[in-house]
């Protein structure tokens, strides 16, 4: 059920119950938000910029605690990247497009972050990993897993975390799982 359907139904019910009331004609019409509208990124300050649309880059998924930079994009405001993001290499030294950024006042916000787990493939490996994440009460938004002919499993997960400390805690817990070799942040384009 969409929000629009709910509000339309409530509007009809209100009109039915208050048919003698003149205020029913002045009820505001619900307009669903445009899918293209983005909210400003909470807790990010970009040097020399106010009231400009900002978004967290999906290529590196920065979280509070990471060193970040703002990249002025064409038509989409400022994209917030980790300092070590491979997509920023070509803009190093371009002070008009690459701006200093920092985290501020981010309590309560959550951020998606991608990790890569490498392990010896075995029965119930993925179940053990999922259970560990579930016990930590961390939301998982994506998982993909594959195994090669050498029985090495590579698992990519996108987790929703509060900050770098929260991420380090879950990564430490995952490293303790039997047969796991490594757990690291995944940067699209840098880890392939």
């Amino acid at each position: 059920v969409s929000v629009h359907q709910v509000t339309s139904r409530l509007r009809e019910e209100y009109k039915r119950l208050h048919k003698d009331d003149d205020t029913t004609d002045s009820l505001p019409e619900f307009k669903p938000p445009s899918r293209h509208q983005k909210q400003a990124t909470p807790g990010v300050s970009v040097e020399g910029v106010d009231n400009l649309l900002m978004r967290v880059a999906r290529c590196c998924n920065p979280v509070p605690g990471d060193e970040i930079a703002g990249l002025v994009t064409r038509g989409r405001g400022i994209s917030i990247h980790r300092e070590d993001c491979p997509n920023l290499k070509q803009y190093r030294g371009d002070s008009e497009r690459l701006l200093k950024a920092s985290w501020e006042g981010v309590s309560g916000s959550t951020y998606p972050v991608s990790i890569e787990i490498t392990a010896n493939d075995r029965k119930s490996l993925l179940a053990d990993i999922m259970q560990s994440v579930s016990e930590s009460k961390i939301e998982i938004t994506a998982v993909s897993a594959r195994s090669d002919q050498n029985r090495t499993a590579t698992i990519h997960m996108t987790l929703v975390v509060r900050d770098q400390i929260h991420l380090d805690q879950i990564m430490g817990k995952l490293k303790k799982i039997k047969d796991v070799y490594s757990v690291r942040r995944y940067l699209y384009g840098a880890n392939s």
Side-chain angles (χ1 to χ4, degrees), residues 92-104:
R92 299 279 179 225
D94 186 350
S95 60
E96 289 186 22
R97 296 220 37 210
L98 195 59
L99 306 172
K100 291 181 181 179
S102 61
W103 297 103
E104 60 180 38

Side-chain angles (χ1 to χ4, degrees), residues 15-190:
K15 284 181 179 180
R16 187 182 66 76
L17 293 172
H18 298 92
K19 55 185 158 189
D20 296 335
D21 192 357
D22 291 335
T23 61
T24 57
D25 293 332
S26 65
L27 286 175
E29 191 65 35
F30 173 75
K31 293 179 184 174
S34 168
R35 289 184 180 204
H36 300 290
Q37 289 177 333
K38 297 251 182 180
Q39 300 228 348
T41 304
V44 175
S45 171
V46 178
E47 187 176 284
V49 176
D50 286 333
N51 294 330
L52 193 59
L53 180 68
M54 287 185 238
R55 64 182 180 83
V56 174
R58 291 186 194 173
C59 53
C60 57
N61 291 320
V63 297
D66 290 336
E67 294 294 322
I68 56 174
L71 177 65
V72 178
T73 62
R74 290 183 171 86
R76 293 187 300 170
I78 296 178
S79 180
I80 305 300
H81 293 263
R82 285 177 49 182
E83 282 280 349
D84 59 350
C85 180
N87 292 328
L88 293 183
K89 285 181 185 174
Q90 62 185 332
Y91 301 105
R92 299 279 179 225
D94 186 350
S95 60
E96 289 186 22
R97 296 220 37 210
L98 195 59
L99 306 172
K100 291 181 181 179
S102 61
W103 297 103
E104 60 180 38
V106 292
S107 63
S109 297
T110 57
Y111 302 85
V113 63
S114 297
I115 63 170
E116 181 179 74
I117 302 165
T118 308
N120 183 34
D121 194 17
R122 63 170 168 83
K123 187 176 179 179
S124 302
L125 173 66
L126 188 56
D128 291 348
I129 290 170
M130 297 300 281
Q131 181 179 354
S132 180
V133 174
S134 178
E135 287 171 357
S136 299
K137 296 181 177 24
I138 292 179
E139 181 183 353
I140 302 170
T141 59
V143 176
S144 69
R146 62 181 163 74
S147 180
D148 63 17
Q149 65 267 18
N150 298 328
R151 301 196 42 84
T152 300
T154 304
I155 302 164
H156 291 118
M157 300 178 85
T158 303
L159 309 172
V160 179
V161 299
R162 293 184 302 272
D163 54 27
Q164 181 67 44
I165 295 168
H166 191 207
L167 178 62
D168 289 343
Q169 288 171 345
I170 188 60
M171 288 175 63
K173 191 171 183 179
L174 291 170
K175 288 176 185 176
K176 293 177 183 174
I177 295 174
K178 180 183 174 200
D179 295 323
V180 170
Y181 304 142
S182 70
V183 179
R184 62 185 178 148
R185 292 280 294 269
Y186 185 76
L187 290 173
Y188 294 99

